[in-house]
Each structure stands twice: as C-alpha cells, then as structure tokens.
Amino acid sequence: MLLCGFLALSLLANFLHNFMYNKINARKKEYEILLMHKAKMSEIGELLSGININLSSL
C-alpha cells in the first residue's frame, strides 16, 4: 500500500515537473524572440540616426 502511494506521488511529481519545464521553455522562447526583435530595432535606430547625421551635414 505504501509502495503504491509512493509510486503515485512520484508519477505526479514527474508529471508536474515536465509540465512546468515545458511551460518555462515556451516562455523562454517568447522572451528570446522579443529580445532579438528589440536588438534589431535598436540597431535600425542607430543606423537611421547615423544616416540622419550624414544627411544633415550636407
């Protein structure tokens, strides 16, 4: 009886661990996509600023 309870708890713990692991990885991917987008927008802003400075000096 005690062994069945331990087995049930270990299966539940394994299921919860896998569920949270997948949820965290999904959120991590979302944040990585956002971070890449922010980096691209920052780089584009710097390039446009440089072009604007060059055009202003003409």
Side-chain angles (χ1 to χ4, degrees):
M1 182 67 180
L2 187 60
L3 183 61
C4 290
F6 177 75
L7 183 60
L9 283 176
S10 64
L11 288 174
L12 177 65
N14 187 30
F15 170 75
L16 291 174
H17 174 265
N18 288 337
F19 176 75
M20 291 304 295
Y21 181 79
N22 291 334
K23 192 172 182 179
I24 289 169
N25 275 343
R27 183 158 300 181
K28 179 183 169 188
K29 286 181 184 179
E30 290 175 10
Y31 283 133
E32 287 175 351
I33 290 169
L34 285 173
L35 186 60
M36 285 189 299
H37 181 71
K38 285 180 79 172
K40 286 179 186 177
M41 292 297 111
S42 176
E43 187 175 341
I44 289 171
E46 290 176 11
L47 289 172
L48 289 175
S49 177
I51 291 170
N52 188 25
I53 290 171
N54 289 338
L55 290 176
S56 297
S57 65
L58 293 177

